[in-house]
């Protein structure tokens, strides 16, 4: 089963997100991650859902999403060239001895330290899911206290190639 | 303030008049008392006071299915709204256009667990095509227009409009929009020409075609177009439960119903055909059995307005998304007349070898009752059925000649549907008799509507096929659970004749085969009130043919010719299990 990134544009109004989430639970589809926010148009929200499923299950999901009256556009980005990012905040135990090593790791991942205290630091990182996963693995031995992940957001690339 | 301002309740009534609503099926209550006040003076629309909100929704469904118009329901908040849930789910499964208006507590109380508050928008989200909470009276007219538009176009379905009490009391200018634009809703009607051409190629190469026809043909008013296609192709027609009546049941090309309790020959023909043309049908599990083994030798074409119906259960070769009537109008001129002589002869042989049959005797057989109703109404009645054995026997033995004649709860399988649906149908159809077929179980689920039927002098013929059992469950217990009849005996059934009379209707009862026709004749003379006809039938009879759930045609059990064969059938079904 492949992971699919599905980008949905939906009327930005009361209950619309519920319709999408409710559809997934009512029909037994799974959601790996979901992120929601306004799009370039205030009246439309962009929902990015990562879901695992066989191709025909994903095809059904997309058809069912399209049937929702409030949904204006659904794109499965998986087979397109697209950029994806996830943001994560990680609070790690830190003391005088470990702090500088943590700062090095943070630098390697091109992330930022956004909070610091005698016993912990909080790191903000963005990147692909794999990068975030790798970072978490590196920080794990220091003692992770809390993690908050946004889930994947994605947009189709305008041009082929990488930036 | 302009003088054109009116209350939400008045806007509501004006909007329904704009939508040419004839009937509202409803039940008042605290949250809609203002709306009912505005309805007190309306002359264009008749309000039908049912005796339970579920009855109101099924009546609206019956009206919608019989006429093709949108059924309209008004109920109050809380329990009024939750009582509509079964009917709304039923309409959703069977693509019935409804607009259900629910009262709601005032906006400042929403979320406070107020008296008679229920989150009906949340509750009905997955069983409606769409739903709306009206938060501002200025949005009311637009919302009503949108609700009717969504309910009646594309694949039809139910729409709920939740109306808080304070919104309906506040004022706005009334301007009913001519049209609404919804940027996320664009039903596709015409069908892709490239796909139609691909379908034509497959059809023209076929020697053993079958048309597999569902309720979509009736919803799109495409019976004439279907008839033309079948006649041009010389292709036999198998209908789903919802499709019965889309093609005349007495025509030579009709194979009646297919699926679990379909005719032997329709199922065999679907299994052996080389081209299956699915039209407005959705490969439901009651039709396909095991989807992997369904019609294994055919190229499959699927015409449906709902893209999500395509390749959901069975993969098809050529999908055509579009309205059935529009697609058939363009497809039929392109296909050749096929040489299906051998194929049709084969089907005629099968029909002769394995007809629908039953053993008649002095005890009444339900099948016989249905057959006689068919003969006495010349196949011209509107028949509503409940769920279970009565429904299957009606589907098998009433040869529906016209669309919008067979009104049943197909998808959800709702007991208690038949009688209130018949009421709704009778409001919509005045020139044909309306029969409600029931078991003795289902009739008791909405029997309170006798009061509604009597109040409105509806000349309904309410047939009870009374065997003292929940028959279909008993049949499964007989065939698959070693005859352990767990809680299916209806011991204390009421005296249905006295019950009919107590409500002010008429009642008849008989337990003799020879009295079936005379009793029906007497009942059909009464046209100023509903009549209950209690047929005490043989207690234990099973619906055959039968393909056990999830099975294939190889496991089809035909009607047993003898006791011995019945035992064999049971052994067989044990093996299948």
């Amino acid at each position: 089963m492949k992971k699919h990134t599905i980008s949905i544009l939906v009327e930005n109004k009361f209950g619309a997100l519920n319709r999408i989430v409710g559809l997934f639970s009512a029909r037994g589809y799974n959601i790996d991650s979901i992120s929601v926010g306004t799009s370039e148009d205030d009246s439309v929200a962009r929902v990015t859902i990562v879901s695992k499923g066989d191709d025909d299950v994903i095809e059904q999901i997309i058809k069912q999403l399209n049937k929702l009256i409030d949904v204006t556009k659904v794109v499965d980005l998986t087979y397109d060239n697209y950029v994806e990012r996830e943001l994560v905040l990680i609070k790690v135990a830190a003391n005088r001895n470990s702090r500088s090593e943590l700062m090095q790791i943070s630098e390697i991942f091109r992330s930022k330290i956004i909070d610091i205290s005698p016993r912990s630091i909080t790191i903000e990182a963005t990147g692909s899911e794999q990068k975030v996963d790798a970072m978490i693995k590196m920080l794990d031995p220091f003692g992770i206290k809390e993690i908050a992940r946004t889930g994947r957001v994605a947009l189709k690339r305008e041009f082929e190639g990488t930036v | 303030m302009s003088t054109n301002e009116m209350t939400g309740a008045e806007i509501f009534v004006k909007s329904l008049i704009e939508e040419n609503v004839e009937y509202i099926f409803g039940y008042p209550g605290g949250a809609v008392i203002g709306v009912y006040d505005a309805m007190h003076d309306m002359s264009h629309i008749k309000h039908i006071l049912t005796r339970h909100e579920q009855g109101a929704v099924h009546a609206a469904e019956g009206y919608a299915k019989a006429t093709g118009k949108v059924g309209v329901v008004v109920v109050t908040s809380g329990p009024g709204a939750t009582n509509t849930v079964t009917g709304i789910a039923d309409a959703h499964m069977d693509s019935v256009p409804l607009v259900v208006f629910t009262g709601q507590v005032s906006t400042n109380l929403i979320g406070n667990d107020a008296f008679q508050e229920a989150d009906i928008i949340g509750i009905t989200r997955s069983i409606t095509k769409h739903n709306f909470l009206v938060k501002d009276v200025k949005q009311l007219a637009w919302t009503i227009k949108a609700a009717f538009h969504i309910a009646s176009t594309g694949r039809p379905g139910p729409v709920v409009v939740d109306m808080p009490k304070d919104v309906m009391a506040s004022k706005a200018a009334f301007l009913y929009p001519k049209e609404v634009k919804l940027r996320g809703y664009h039903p596709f009607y015409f069908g892709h020409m490239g796909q139609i051409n691909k379908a034509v190629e497959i059809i023209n190469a076929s020697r053993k075609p079958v048309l597999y026809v569902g309720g979509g043909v009736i919803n799109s008013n495409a019976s004439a177009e279907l008839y033309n296609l079948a006649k041009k192709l010389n292709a036999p027609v198998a209908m789903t439960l919802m499709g019965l009546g889309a093609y005349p049941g007495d025509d030579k090309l009709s194979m009646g119903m297919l699926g679990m309790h379909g005719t032997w020959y329709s199922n065999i023909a679907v299994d052996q055909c080389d081209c299956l043309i699915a039209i407005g049908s959705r490969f439901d599990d009651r039709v396909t059995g095991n989807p992997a083994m369904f019609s294994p030798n055919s190229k499959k074409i699927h015409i449906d307005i709902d893209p999500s119906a395509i390749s959901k259960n069975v993969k098809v070769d050529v999908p055509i998304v579009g309205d059935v009537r529009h697609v058939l109008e363009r497809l039929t001129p392109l296909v050749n007349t096929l040489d299906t002589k051998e194929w049709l002869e084969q089907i005629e042989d099968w029909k002769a070898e394995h007809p629908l049959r039953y053993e008649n005797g002095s005890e009444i057989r339900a099948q016989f009752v249905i057959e006689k109703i068919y003969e006495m109404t010349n196949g011209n009645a509107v028949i509503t059925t409940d769920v279970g054995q009565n429904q299957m026997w009606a589907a098998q033995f009433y040869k529906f000649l016209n669309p919008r004649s067979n009104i049943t709860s197909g998808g959800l399988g709702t007991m208690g549907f038949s009688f209130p649906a018949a009421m709704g149908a009778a409001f919509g159809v005045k020139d044909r008799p309306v029969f409600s077929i029931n078991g003795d179980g289902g009739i008791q689920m909405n029997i309170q509507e006798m009061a509604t039927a009597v109040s409105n002098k509806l000349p309904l013929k309410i047939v009870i096929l009374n065997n003292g059992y929940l028959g279909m469950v008993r049949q499964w217990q007989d065939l698959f659970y070693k005859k352990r009849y767990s809680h299916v005996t209806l011991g204390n059934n009421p005296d249905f004749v006295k019950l009919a009379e107590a409500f002010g209707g008429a009642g008849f009862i008989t337990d003799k085969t020879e009295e079936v026709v005379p009793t029906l004749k007497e009942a059909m003379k009464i046209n100023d009130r509903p009549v209950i006809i209690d047929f005490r039938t043989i207690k234990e009879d099973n619906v055959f043919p039968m393909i056990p759930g999830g099975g294939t045609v190889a496991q089809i059990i035909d009607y047993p010719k003898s006791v011995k064969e019945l035992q064999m059938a049971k052994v067989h079904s044990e093996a299948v299990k």
Side-chain angles (χ1 to χ4, degrees), chain A residues 11 19 43 60 63 67, chain B residues 125 131 183 306-308 310:
Chain A
E11 298 280 352
R19 294 182 198 279
S43 69
Q60 255 307 304
K63 285 174 174 175
K67 254 170 91 168
Chain B
R125 196 171 284 128
N131 58 21
R183 50 185 168 179
D306 179 1
S308 76
I310 285 166

Side-chain angles (χ1 to χ4, degrees), chain B residues 492-540:
Chain B
N492 263 320
N493 271 338
D495 179 332
F496 286 111
V497 174
K498 277 191 189 156
L499 184 141
E501 287 165 359
F503 274 110
F508 294 92
I509 182 169
T510 177
D511 60 358
K512 291 185 190 64
T513 299
E514 78 244 28
E515 286 177 4
V516 167
V517 172
T519 308
L520 281 170
K521 265 190 192 150
E522 283 307 306
M524 285 168 75
K525 281 182 196 159
I526 298 174
N527 280 313
D528 58 350
R529 60 193 189 283
V531 190
I532 287 182
I533 316 153
D534 181 1
F535 289 112
R536 296 296 173 94
T537 65
I538 190 164
K539 285 189 76 69
E540 295 190 24

Side-chain angles (χ1 to χ4, degrees), chain A residues 11-15 18-19 22 26-27 41 43-44 56 59-60 63-64 66-72, chain B residues 121 125-126 128-133 135 150 155 182-185 306-312 315:
Chain A
E11 298 280 352
N12 193 4
K13 60 188 187 197
F14 160 84
N18 256 323
R19 294 182 198 279
R27 294 191 179 264
D41 175 350
S43 69
V44 174
D56 34 348
E59 190 186 323
Q60 255 307 304
K63 285 174 174 175
Q64 293 293 345
N66 268 315
K67 254 170 91 168
L68 296 175
I69 309 281
D70 283 342
V71 167
T72 58
Chain B
I121 293 299
R125 196 171 284 128
S126 66
T128 48
K129 187 168 171 188
H130 196 59
N131 58 21
F132 295 96
L133 170 66
K135 285 173 142 176
I150 292 168
R155 180 176 175 176
L182 298 156
R183 50 185 168 179
Y185 179 65
D306 179 1
S308 76
I310 285 166
S311 293
K312 181 165 68 179
K315 280 259 170 225

